[in-house]
Every structure is written in structure tokens, then in C-alpha cells.
Amino acid sequence: MIDLVRLRREPEVVKAALARRGVSPEVMDAILEMDVKHRELLQEAEGLRAEVKFLSRLVGEARRDKDAETADALTEKSRKLGDEERGATEAMERVGGLLHDELLMIPNLPAAEAPDGADENDNVELRRWWVGMDEGLPFPTYAEHQKVPHWDIGIELDILDLEAGARLAGSMFPLYRGDGARLLRALSAFSLDRHLGVYQEVRPPTFALTSTMMSTGHLPKSSDDMYAIERDGLWAIPTAEVPLTSMHAGEILEESRLPIRLCAQTNCFRREAGAAGRDTRGVLRVHEFEKVELFAYCTPEQQEDAFNDILQRAEGVLQALGLTYRLLDLCAGDLGTSSMRTIDLEVFSPGVDRWLEVSSVSKFGDYQARRAQVRYRTSEGNNTLVHTVNGSALGWARVWAALLETYRQEDGSVVLPDVLAAYMGGNATIPARAS
RNA sequence: GGAGGGAUGACAGAGCGGCCGAAUGUACCGGUCUUGAAAACCGGCGUGGGCUUGCCCACCGUGGGUUCAAAUCCCACUCCCUCCGCCA
């Protein structure tokens, strides 16, 4: 949620920032009007309530003095004011509710350094990385045996069974088997181990309450994109960001504890509503996938470092896996609701001949913390909202695809990078089937 | 799933219709004393909001109700603890 006080104080600055991501100034003006109205009603209601409380105290005193006549008269007067107060409070709460609902729909202000632009076409490529780049090798070229899409490799090596997945849960719910399943497990373990000691490992619940979803900004805006378990009032998390952001909801943290760095591996669920017909083959767009998330609660001063650390670690995983990737600086118009700055990592996968998004590193300022009410006590004793930062390291379904396609050998086998061997029982080769 | 107990400020813990936003202790911050520290003593010390910045309002798990007046009474719910049952 954006800062209402700031909107009041510098409306033009806020409006200009939000206009960069397509929020019309009229919307903000309407909110400002509602805010004025709300405060008017608030004053009226509080004034009446103060009077009722004052009279009530007098009633008590009169009763104590055995002055029944005065007490009765005051009671009558207070009762009438009480009725009035109820009406005023109701009006105030109604407007306040509307104001709050509107405010929840307003996205975060883009950071100054986030590039201008309307949609994904305006995102800015910052740089690319590939094996040997530092030694001066050119951008890699890929051989014919690498230009096989992973869904074919999956069948060929008997490690991916999309039909079985579809039979069990519907299309876009993949089923991995054998070394394919083991590879996924290896990737999560490999990544988590890299961050151990700096980022505390967390294994949160897979489902979250509506109120929890609100904190990260996934609700109320994106309910269509998520799976709901209506009977129990739960939502399947689309990312570990959801539980991690709310882990300290409502708390006031000691400044000395910050930054609090967390990492978590979870399954992530996305309905991919509106994406029907796109990327229906393979595992590029699926309803359920595994992901390792890095996360930090920090002070405003720590935010930049926290952001860069997560970005570096996400890159580090890709470099360790020897995958070609690029960095995309998301333009203001393409930022997620809660984000003020996001850098996407896209891996190049030769089989499908495309760049695939495998990580999204974002900083949120106090936008999420305001919703979740996560604060810290500064050394001066003030309570201030924390800043939150997070990023994937990484979303595995697409990495899985890129690994198979990148490391496919002429004989059809896949020789994975050595770093994974320890997590694959010492053998990082997925053999070709003898057929 | 059944029975019982509980939820109050950073923590512990009183209060059970009316000067209670809340005793007391600990912790914390400032001061006196001290070479310094500790101890002792003195003072301060919840959060959020509104406006005429001195006052007002809200908050005692959450939501509703009773009342002139609710932390206190009533109802529902949530969570925690103990015991029983069930279970990976």
C-alpha cells in the first residue's frame, strides 16, 4: 500500500510517479477527495463520542452522589447523542472502507532508476553472460543436437511424463520421473546450500490466508491468477514471497536484527489465467513448479545492498550451472503491483531457441511492510516500516528445460554440470536409453 | 473429533461495569552517587489516528451484542496449553 500521508503532502510527486506506470491522476484525485471527506466525518464522530464519554462520567458521579434526577436527565441526553454518534460513525466507516479499498488497488511508486516504458517491449537489457565470456569467448553457438526441445528430450530419456500429469491434475501440471525428478530435487538442494549461513532456511506452509495474500499485494488485484481453496478460506501460494513477507506481520523488530535474510524452497501455484494457448508444450508455463526464493527484511539504508546481494546470488546459481542468461531491467509499465524496481533474469535455451524468465529480483520499499505492518525500532526509538526485497534463485521448471537442452550430447544423453553431481548420487549424466 | 484451561504493554502479571490506556515487577532510556562499572535512589517509558499542538479518539486475541458507560457482562469465531481419541 502506498503512503496516504505522502499522497496528501506531495500529491503532484506521487501522481507523476504513478502516471509512469499508467495510473491516471484522476484516480488519485478521487482518493484525495475521499480522504478529505473521511477526515471530516471522523472529526464529527469523534467529537460526538467525546461528549458521550464526558456525559457518562457525569452520570457516574451523579449516581455516586445519589442525585437520581440529574443522573436520569444526563442519561437521556447521552442516549440521544449516542444515537447520533452511531450514525456518524457508520458514515465515517463507510467512506473509510471505500478509501481503503481504493488504496489497496494502487500499485507501488516506481523507483527513479526504473526505466520508462509501457509494457514488456520497453524493458531494457542490461547485459548478458555466458560461459567463457570473461576469457573473451564470443556468445555461444549451439549445435544441432542441442536444438531439441526439452519435451522431446523428456520423452526420449523417460524423465518427463506430461500425459500422466495431465491425467492426474489436468494439463500444465507436469510429472517428472527418474533422473528428471531427481534433478529437480538436486537443484533445490544445490541452491539452498549455497545460501546457507547467510540466509536462514525456512519451510513455510504451501497455503495462505486471504489476509496474508493481501500483504504481498497479490490480493485483491490478482485473484484470478491464483488457486483458491474456498472451503477453508485458503489460497495456494504463487511464490514463497507470500509467507516470507508475512512471517513477521504485525511485529516490531529490533534494528540490530536487520537485515533478516531468509531463503525457502516451495512449490508455487499459478492458474495462468489468460495465458491459454501460450507455451502449452513442455514445462515453460505450468500451474505448479518448484522455486527457491531469497528474501530480506531490511532498513531503507540496507535495501540497495540487499537487492544487489540477491541479484548476485541468482546470477551465481546460473553461472555455476553454466547457463547463458541476460538481465532485463523492467520498465515502469511492466513492474508488478508491489514492486518499485525489478530485474528479471532470462536464461537462453537452445532447444526452444528462446530466452526464458527464471528469476525476478525486486525491491518493494515499505509498500508490502505497510500492508503487513512489519516495523522496526530505530536507535532513536521510532517505529518505522521495514523495507522488503526478494528474488528467485531460481524457478526450476524452466531451468530444468534449459539444462536438458544446453547439455544434450550428440548421443542423446545429457551431461549435467559437475556441481550437480554431488546432489545426483555422484553421477551427473542422464544416459540415453538403449533403443 | 471430545473435555478442560487460557489470550492484557518488550516480557511477567494484576484488574472482572464508572477518573482503567490499564497496578506491580523486570527490561529499557535519562539523572544522582562513583576513577569507571555494578548496586542503590530519582525521573521517564505502549501503538495508531485526528485537529484549533494542546487536547480529543481508537486499541486489553478477532467480530458482533447489552449499557448513559465495557479490559470487565452476553454470543460467535480464531489461536495457544493440558488430557483423551485418531493419524503420516
Side-chain angles (χ1 to χ4, degrees), chain A residues 39-147:
Chain A
R39 277 181 295 156
E40 277 172 17
L41 292 168
L42 181 70
Q43 283 175 54
E44 187 187 336
E46 286 191 350
L48 286 167
R49 204 170 314 144
E51 265 191 88
V52 169
K53 287 183 67 168
F54 179 68
L55 290 176
S56 290
R57 199 158 61 226
L58 294 186
V59 170
E61 282 166 18
R63 288 249 186 277
R64 199 175 318 120
D65 299 341
K66 303 271 191 279
D67 183 353
E69 199 177 313
T70 305
D72 287 348
L74 288 172
T75 299
E76 186 52 35
K77 194 171 170 196
S78 180
R79 190 194 324 234
K80 275 195 193 135
L81 274 175
D83 289 341
E84 231 177 291
E85 184 268 336
R86 254 184 294 282
T89 298
E90 209 174 287
M92 179 274 289
E93 282 175 348
R94 197 173 54 244
V95 174
L98 289 174
L99 173 63
H100 186 71
D101 290 349
E102 284 300 314
L103 225 39
L104 281 180
M105 299 299 283
I106 305 302
N108 201 355
L109 277 56
E113 69 269 24
D116 283 322
D119 55 41
E120 59 183 18
N121 298 312
D122 297 322
N123 294 338
V124 176
E125 183 176 323
L126 296 177
R127 55 191 157 85
R128 297 183 178 192
W129 184 93
W130 58 87
V131 172
M133 183 185 78
D134 295 338
E135 289 78 55
L137 290 178
F139 190 81
T141 53
Y142 294 91
E144 279 311 305
H145 62 262
Q146 292 172 291
K147 295 183 178 168

Side-chain angles (χ1 to χ4, degrees), chain A residues 5 20 23 104 110 121 144 150 152 201-202 225 239 251 301 323 325 338 344 348 363 366 369 374 397 399 404 423 425:
Chain A
V5 175
R20 293 184 64 209
V23 177
L104 281 180
N121 298 312
E144 279 311 305
H150 62 279
D152 287 340
E201 188 169 346
V202 173
D225 297 328
T239 160
E251 290 183 33
E301 295 74 31
L323 294 172
Y325 68 90
S338 305
D344 275 1
F348 183 78
K363 58 180 181 184
D366 60 13
V374 185
V399 171
L404 292 187
Y423 297 92

Side-chain angles (χ1 to χ4, degrees), chain A residues 193-214:
Chain A
D193 281 354
R194 287 174 69 90
H195 315 304
L196 221 63
V198 180
Y199 288 73
Q200 183 182 47
E201 188 169 346
V202 173
R203 178 53 253 210
T206 305
F207 304 114
L209 298 167
T210 300
S211 54
T212 308
M213 287 291 183
M214 288 279 185

Side-chain angles (χ1 to χ4, degrees), chain A residues 291-303:
Chain A
K291 179 162 70 65
V292 167
E293 186 79 1
L294 298 175
F295 182 94
Y297 293 97
C298 55
T299 67
E301 295 74 31
Q302 293 166 341
Q303 177 168 248

